[in-house]
Amino acid sequence: MAEYVAALDQGTTSTRCMVFDHGGNVVAVEQLEHEQIYPQPGHVEHNPHEIWERSQQVIDKAAKDAGGDIKAVGVTNQRETTVVWDRNSGAPVYNAIVWQDTRTDKLCDELMKDGGQDRFRPKNGLPIATYFSGPKVRWILDNVDGAQAKADAGDLCFGNIDTWCIWNLTGGTNGGLHITDVSNASRTMLMNLDTLDWDDELLGAIGVPRSMLPEIRSSSSVYGEVKGGAFAGVPVAGDLGDQQAATFGQACYAPGEAKNTYGTGNFLLLNTGHEAVQSKNGLITTVGYKIGDQKAVYCLEGSIAITGALVQWLRDNLKMIKSAPEVEDLAKTVEDNGGCYIVPAFSGLFAPYWKSSARGVFAGLTRYVNAGHIARAALEATAFQSREVSDAMNADSGVTLESLKVDGGMVANDTLMQFQADILGVPVIRPKVAETTALGAAYAAGLATGYWTSEEDLRNNWAEDKRWEPKMDASARDTAYHYWKKAVQRTFDWAE
């Protein structure tokens, strides 16, 4: 019987299960969307029960379609999204608060009063921002009836979505493992980058009891077994936050190697080796991965909140298109953006600005602008934001980007990829397996169980699918970027 490795990829808008063979080829895939809950402006939630239900459904279907023997499963997840549940009943005390949610802005302002936005950065590599999990946990303890008392009694568990899925996969209330990995723990504001453990000073300042926290493990290790469903008895052996998983799946194993993932948001990660490099240009320092007992590998990251989500907004809120891929056809009805720029600061601005009070703008509108221009401006916003974090990364690392490896759903969009090459001025390269997030989680699980023997095996699986060379002249590039920067400034300090 054929042997495979699987990944459960729990993302912001959907959950998928993918099954891979030894060459890193996709054998089976099943994907289901889940509800995006917007109780009020700035609030974004998911139903943890629905996420676990979707997870079970995609696992069962992918396992059936793949046939064969599943040797291990890895988990990868939307990072920072926060679940708090009762360890006795297994019931969440509140909906999952999503990484895009900005309700903790006042809490973050309070934390900044003593030491500024970078108060904790020397320890955790992060600015104080609504993006990260710690303040979201604090909000739940402050605002859900009885939550603080339950936490004090040791009855509550906190986890990002990886922790929630692994706890349920391995038995839930019947002995489920309450664990996370170093990559996810580094997104909470609560972990010390040097010790790779929860930090008492950070816990005290933000107000999160240690009893709620999962055990921090390596990203590639046999944690336990799946207790039910189609994967019953399969080792759970990998855990990586989605962007770190994509970095691993793109075979960025050497310092200086980088990738950019195009999903709900965009995330540019640069491997900095065993050194946690502190950013001076608005990036964050994060753990990339830790394989077994080896030293942790760190990354610089440029996190962009809204890219693919802007296309979904055109589809769902403005009804301009019926499906996300249609945005490219609409954009191709015009030659340029018609002077229109969209800065999608729906959740404030992340890297390199970290302004939670920013809000989205359309700039440069005239009667000339039509739906095609708006579609093109939406795609261009993704490329411009990626240029901003690329410039910051060049400044931080002292290494000039020579080419960019890309992955994620939006890399199927040729118009966007060509504009990305144009606005960066370097080639953009798409691999044969564009869904590298799931692949990275599968690789981590496969390494832990001996399905793959080394990172060199994984590097040999990587293959180029398509390359876009820059075609725009430098003056046109500079002019377009100048107007983008002007539009960004119009978003600042809108929310009061």
Side-chain angles (χ1 to χ4, degrees):
M1 185 183 284
E3 295 183 341
Y4 305 125
V5 172
L8 176 64
D9 176 3
Q10 204 303 300
T12 307
T13 59
S14 67
T15 307
R16 82 183 87 196
C17 182
M18 299 185 78
V19 178
F20 298 93
D21 66 15
H22 199 270
N25 304 300
V26 179
V27 175
V29 58
E30 175 68 2
Q31 181 171 354
L32 292 170
E33 291 195 356
H34 57 267
E35 184 185 4
Q36 306 296 306
I37 303 164
Y38 305 107
Q40 61 189 72
H43 290 212
V44 189
E45 299 176 1
H46 294 157
N47 180 341
H49 287 301
E50 184 187 14
I51 282 175
W52 174 233
E53 190 177 304
R54 294 285 178 272
S55 299
Q56 293 170 284
Q57 289 169 327
V58 296
I59 284 171
D60 289 348
K61 180 70 164 56
K64 183 180 175 187
D65 291 349
D69 183 15
I70 305 296
K71 303 304 289 183
V73 59
V75 174
T76 182
N77 56 294
Q78 52 166 322
R79 305 168 304 173
E80 301 93 20
T81 296
T82 298
V83 189
V84 174
W85 69 96
D86 187 308
R87 69 173 75 245
N88 303 305
S89 69
V93 301
Y94 192 77
N95 274 340
I97 301 181
V98 179
W99 57 273
Q100 301 159 321
D101 189 286
T102 60
R103 77 184 68 191
T104 59
D105 52 353
K106 298 288 186 291
L107 221 162
C108 288
D109 288 345
E110 284 297 314
L111 288 169
M112 284 185 230
K113 281 181 180 173
D114 180 14
Q117 190 166 29
D118 289 338
R119 172 183 172 186
F120 303 132
R121 195 187 271 269
K123 278 197 166 185
N124 65 19
L126 310 175
I128 295 171
T130 59
Y131 180 28
F132 305 110
S133 316
K136 299 180 197 293
V137 181
R138 184 65 250 162
W139 187 93
I140 289 172
L141 296 179
D142 286 343
N143 290 276
V144 174
D145 282 350
Q148 182 67 62
K150 278 189 166 185
D152 292 341
D155 290 334
L156 294 188
C157 293
F158 150 69
N160 295 129
I161 295 289
D162 64 313
T163 300
W164 171 245
C165 288
I166 291 171
W167 189 77
N168 281 293
L169 279 169
T170 57
T173 54
N174 185 26
L177 296 170
H178 187 214
I179 61 173
T180 189
D181 92 300
V182 288
S183 72
N184 278 293
S186 73
R187 316 299 296 197
T188 60
M189 282 177 56
L190 305 173
M191 189 190 85
N192 184 308
L193 283 176
D194 294 326
T195 65
L196 302 179
D197 193 9
W198 307 118
D199 186 277
D200 287 329
E201 182 199 348
L202 299 174
L203 296 178
I206 297 169
V208 177
R210 188 180 270 266
S211 63
M212 294 179 68
L213 302 178
E215 179 189 352
I216 301 173
R217 304 283 291 272
S218 87
S219 313
S220 175
S221 178
V222 176
Y223 312 123
E225 288 186 351
V226 180
K227 288 290 171 62
F231 285 175
V234 173
V236 181
D239 180 11
L240 284 160
D242 54 6
Q243 302 313 317
Q244 288 94 331
T247 306
F248 203 69
Q250 279 274 37
C252 295
Y253 306 137
E257 293 184 323
K259 67 86 208 177
N260 197 21
T261 298
Y262 296 71
T264 302
N266 266 38
F267 302 88
L268 178 62
L269 273 76
L270 173 78
N271 182 324
T272 61
H274 300 307
E275 183 186 359
V277 176
Q278 291 290 351
S279 175
K280 296 179 175 62
N281 294 281
L283 304 179
I284 64 176
T285 307
T286 195
V287 179
Y289 54 88
K290 185 179 187 301
I291 304 304
D293 295 329
Q294 297 174 28
K295 284 184 177 178
V297 170
Y298 296 89
C299 292
L300 279 170
E301 175 176 320
S303 322
I304 303 165
I306 304 291
T307 54
L310 176 58
V311 175
Q312 291 176 319
W313 182 77
L314 296 182
R315 179 192 70 187
D316 299 339
N317 293 49
L318 299 192
K319 313 294 184 190
M320 282 178 58
I321 50 177
K322 287 191 171 65
S323 67
E326 288 177 22
V327 74
E328 182 171 18
D329 295 331
L330 187 55
K332 284 161 75 173
T333 62
V334 294
E335 291 184 5
D336 55 34
N337 64 14
C340 173
Y341 290 79
I342 304 174
V343 186
F346 297 162
S347 299
L349 288 170
F350 286 9
Y353 301 100
W354 299 106
K355 290 184 178 289
S356 61
S357 61
R359 289 296 179 268
V361 300
F362 278 53
L365 291 180
T366 62
R367 281 290 298 272
Y368 173 72
V369 170
N370 62 32
H373 296 119
I374 290 171
R376 185 169 282 270
L379 294 180
E380 290 183 357
T382 296
F384 282 126
Q385 291 180 98
S386 294
R387 162 78 188 268
E388 288 186 309
V389 295
S390 172
D391 286 354
M393 203 157 274
N394 288 345
D396 267 343
S397 67
V399 179
T400 303
L401 193 71
E402 299 292 340
S403 64
L404 184 66
K405 284 182 174 180
V406 299
D407 55 70
M410 292 182 86
V411 301
N413 189 312
D414 285 313
T415 303
L416 169 58
M417 291 297 103
Q418 183 58 55
F419 189 76
Q420 186 68 84
D422 287 343
I423 213 67
L424 284 175
V426 302
V428 167
I429 303 165
R430 180 175 70 197
K432 284 228 162 103
V433 177
E435 293 303 339
T436 56
T437 299
L439 183 60
Y443 278 169
L447 277 178
T449 52
Y451 185 77
W452 289 287
T453 56
S454 69
E455 289 175 7
E456 203 52 42
D457 278 358
L458 311 181
R459 192 184 283 283
N460 291 336
N461 281 347
W462 192 93
E464 181 176 319
D465 176 52
K466 188 166 182 179
R467 174 182 295 247
W468 291 266
E469 298 285 346
K471 296 177 180 176
M472 184 183 284
D473 69 66
S475 64
R477 178 185 305 129
D478 292 345
T479 299
Y481 195 47
H482 163 76
Y483 278 104
W484 166 261
K485 287 289 204 182
K486 206 170 168 182
V488 169
Q489 290 170 6
R490 303 297 194 273
T491 72
F492 293 173
D493 302 320
W494 183 265
E496 294 178 353

